Amino acid sequence: MKEKIFGGLEVFAKTMVQPLMYLSSAGILMVIGVLLTNDMITGMIPFLQWEPIQIFGKLIYNCVMVIINNLAVIFAIGIPAAIAKKEKHKAALIGFMSYIMYLTASNTMLTSLDQLATGSDMLGLTGTGQASILGIQIVDTSVFGGIILGCITGYVFNRTSEKRFKGALQIYSGANFSFICMFFVSIIFGVVSNLVWPLAQQGIASIANVIKNTGTFGLFLYGFLERILVPTGLHHLIYTPFQFSDLGGVLQVGTDTVAGAYAIVMTEIGLPVERFSDSIYYMATGFTKMFGYIGIGMAFIHTAYKHNKKKVKATVIPLVVTAILASVTEPLDFMFAFVAPLLFVVHAAIAGLFIALLKIFDVTAFCGGNLLASLIMNVTVGVEKTHWPVMIILGIVQILVYFVVFSFLIKKFNLKTPGREDEETSKDKEPAKTINFDTDIVNIIEGLGGKENINTVENCITRLRVNVKDENKINEDMINLTPNSGIVRKGKDIQIIFGLHVPDVRRAVESYLEAC
């Protein structure tokens, strides 16, 4: 049982990473778009104000944001492809079709029951509990819906894609049968999510009054919930009421009444007040985006296995820069939210703690999430009104707290954060001798007990990972006829260390198994 649980968690960790593997490249492109269109940068370099450059910058930014805003779709496609044992392309296609059927089912329910929300000019559907995905308005389950449906699709595909019928029903065999199963699953998932998810949304919304009436602790709770609920999409129901309704405060300016933290802060910028009002603390959800993610990235790089550090740096650094300059944290969040949930809970607690500390140290600086914009605004408004130097000090402290706490927890509990998916040994570093793919692959398969004994074949950075039906049929002497750097056995999970050319070995093994 223990082996199954940990094996399942390991598979889930790997399937979550694969749909996100391109986001580091997307992140660095987004940073370029932000820099080309940032008002401060263009003010310093007038050449960048040239209209073609501005259009180019917007094209880059918007084309990356469409990926970020549709992560649920990417998960719904990528997870089935990662889980599927065979015909991964068919699993991915069924995952996409299942997701759009789920979207349509949710929208049909909302339309039939006259429950479609009407968005505002400023916020759109944000805060209504609904969202528009691929142009279809649904109950907002954020990436959670894509992840759940993706996992279901992968599981159903593996269980049904080899089903064969006879006679006239033969056309419905294989992947067609998987599609038929997912057709009904998608509809049921859409209907159930419409019934269940609004209850969760109502529960979150009811917490708003607790946050408002519990002072500094309420600010901690506000920051904690805003981060911990990111994977579910329910975080919108935390910050939106405070930033855009009277829950965030009310300001009387002459005969006009201004409500909501955002409107109050924007109004107070032009007023001769000594300091911003306490409403500004509800705008501080960007504090951790500006500082904390630097510490998170440093911890991931520091704790990565030595042979993975360069790869982790190349992946994590662009995502950290994206969080700092573009306030987009989801790509980095989803790299550990599901594979290391303990770490994500701690992350949310630290984020909430530092919003409370801003209040305790009387810091009323603007922490909008974009570091450049926040610094410019705070310097322009002045130290007396914002106490922004203390914000910088707290930011440095937060970076150190994240680095120390994350590094300790990752090592203490051997969490599978970026660069730690593979167990480092000296054998992993030793390059295996050249493999003859025409003859040596047969030795591997026979040593694993033959085709009938092999359940799944995968690989990590250096190891061929095989799950077998009967570990007693393993013949290590036969396997070792093929040059390798070692064999690691964990029950039915067999790992053969081949080094960095292991993807070629895996493809050769899969090709041989298909040809048999």
Side-chain angles (χ1 to χ4, degrees):
M1 178 62 72
K2 183 178 179 180
E3 288 181 2
K4 287 185 177 180
I5 292 174
F6 282 101
L9 290 175
E10 186 175 357
V11 171
F12 181 66
K14 287 185 288 185
T15 59
M16 285 297 299
V17 169
Q18 290 188 37
L20 297 171
M21 63 186 299
Y22 303 104
L23 291 183
S24 57
S25 300
I28 198 65
L29 291 171
M30 175 181 282
V31 170
I32 295 172
V34 170
L35 293 177
L36 288 177
T37 57
N38 182 269
D39 291 338
M40 185 186 78
I41 302 296
T42 55
M44 294 170 58
I45 309 175
F47 172 75
L48 295 179
Q49 297 176 15
W50 188 36
E51 187 174 0
I53 292 180
Q54 287 298 295
I55 293 174
F56 180 62
K58 291 176 181 177
L59 282 171
I60 293 175
Y61 181 82
N62 290 335
C63 287
V64 173
M65 279 306 299
V66 75
I67 297 174
I68 305 299
N69 291 334
N70 287 285
L71 279 176
V73 185
I74 293 172
F75 279 121
I77 297 170
I79 289 178
I83 293 177
K85 298 175 182 178
K86 298 179 180 178
E87 298 184 307
K88 292 178 178 291
H89 63 291
K90 292 183 179 180
L93 182 57
I94 291 175
F96 177 65
M97 291 189 291
S98 298
Y99 191 72
I100 59 177
M101 288 188 291
Y102 145 68
L103 296 179
T104 303
S106 177
N107 177 266
T108 301
M109 287 290 292
L110 290 174
T111 304
S112 300
L113 299 176
D114 196 24
Q115 294 177 346
L116 286 172
T118 302
S120 66
D121 293 335
M122 182 176 181
L123 298 176
L125 292 171
T126 301
T128 64
Q130 297 182 20
S132 179
I133 300 178
L134 300 180
I136 305 173
Q137 187 171 333
I138 65 164
V139 170
D140 185 14
T141 58
S142 189
V143 299
F144 216 61
I147 290 171
I148 293 174
L149 195 59
C151 289
I152 294 174
T153 304
Y155 174 80
V156 170
F157 185 84
N158 282 337
R159 296 295 296 269
T160 60
S161 61
E162 295 188 356
K163 178 70 175 178
R164 294 290 180 268
F165 298 104
K166 297 180 179 179
L169 296 178
Q170 187 174 0
I171 191 175
Y172 302 114
S173 300
N176 284 330
F177 182 58
S178 300
F179 169 76
I180 293 172
C181 293
M182 285 309 303
F183 174 84
F184 295 103
V185 170
S186 301
I187 292 176
I188 293 171
F189 187 68
V191 173
V192 171
S193 66
N194 276 33
L195 298 174
V196 174
W197 212 250
L199 298 177
Q201 293 172 341
Q202 291 171 16
I204 295 298
S206 66
I207 298 175
N209 286 324
V210 176
I211 293 173
K212 182 177 176 63
N213 297 322
T214 50
T216 303
F217 174 77
L219 290 175
F220 164 78
L221 188 60
Y222 175 74
F224 175 82
L225 291 173
E226 192 275 335
R227 283 292 88 188
I228 200 70
L229 293 173
V230 164
T232 67
L234 295 173
H235 64 299
H236 295 305
L237 300 179
I238 293 295
Y239 72 80
T240 302
F242 288 92
Q243 294 186 6
F244 301 102
S245 78
D246 56 7
L247 273 175
V250 177
L251 176 68
Q252 193 70 33
V253 184
T255 58
D256 297 325
T257 300
V258 178
Y262 179 83
I264 290 173
V265 170
M266 293 299 105
T267 302
E268 288 180 337
I269 289 175
L271 295 178
V273 294
E274 294 184 359
R275 63 189 294 279
F276 284 114
S277 64
D278 286 354
S279 292
I280 199 167
Y281 296 122
Y282 297 123
M283 300 296 294
T285 53
F287 182 83
T288 296
K289 298 177 183 179
M290 296 191 299
F291 299 105
Y293 281 84
I294 298 174
I296 293 173
M298 289 169 56
F300 287 166
I301 293 169
H302 174 68
T303 57
Y305 293 135
K306 190 173 181 180
H307 63 287
N308 290 336
K309 283 188 184 293
K310 288 184 179 179
K311 179 182 176 182
V312 172
K313 286 179 182 178
T315 300
V316 169
I317 290 176
L319 299 184
V320 172
V321 176
T322 301
I324 296 171
L325 296 183
S327 302
V328 177
T329 64
E330 283 84 354
L332 198 52
D333 287 332
F334 296 134
M335 281 190 167
F336 69 101
F338 298 100
V339 299
L342 168 65
L343 216 56
F344 202 74
V345 173
V346 173
H347 165 46
I350 295 174
L353 172 63
F354 274 83
I355 291 181
L357 288 176
L358 290 173
K359 168 69 173 175
I360 292 171
F361 285 94
D362 195 32
V363 178
T364 53
F366 182 77
C367 308
N370 182 323
L371 184 59
L372 287 176
S374 295
L375 286 176
I376 293 171
M377 179 175 175
N378 288 313
V379 171
T380 302
V381 173
V383 175
E384 296 79 9
K385 199 170 185 176
T386 62
H387 297 171
W388 65 263
V390 182
M391 178 194 76
I392 300 297
I393 295 172
L394 286 175
I396 295 172
V397 172
Q398 189 187 48
I399 292 171
L400 295 175
V401 168
Y402 267 108
F403 175 72
V404 172
V405 173
F406 269 44
S407 296
F408 171 77
L409 292 175
I410 290 169
K411 291 182 177 180
K412 175 70 174 177
F413 297 102
N414 192 26
L415 302 176
K416 301 302 179 182
T417 48
R420 295 178 61 85
E421 302 89 351
D422 194 25
E423 189 178 346
E424 182 184 34
T425 68
S426 59
K427 292 181 180 180
D428 287 274
K429 304 175 187 178
E430 299 172 2
K433 296 178 182 179
T434 303
I435 294 177
N436 185 325
F437 288 100
D438 292 329
T439 59
D440 288 337
I441 297 303
V442 178
N443 297 331
I444 297 174
I445 294 172
E446 292 302 318
L448 291 168
K451 177 182 178 180
E452 297 74 17
N453 196 44
I454 296 174
N455 285 325
T456 61
V457 179
E458 297 174 328
N459 72 274
C460 57
I461 296 175
T462 58
R463 303 182 181 202
L464 184 72
R465 294 173 177 263
V466 183
N467 179 268
V468 298
K469 296 176 182 176
D470 185 356
E471 63 269 33
N472 295 318
K473 292 183 179 181
I474 300 300
N475 186 337
E476 292 191 21
D477 292 335
M478 179 68 73
I479 295 174
N480 285 329
L481 292 177
T482 299
N484 67 80
S485 298
I487 301 172
V488 179
R489 301 180 62 166
K490 299 179 179 178
K492 295 182 179 181
D493 292 314
I494 313 300
Q495 302 174 14
I496 310 172
I497 304 170
F498 286 108
L500 295 178
H501 61 274
V502 69
D504 297 327
V505 178
R506 190 207 76 236
R507 283 191 288 269
V509 169
E510 289 178 335
S511 297
Y512 186 90
L513 291 174
E514 290 177 2
C516 289

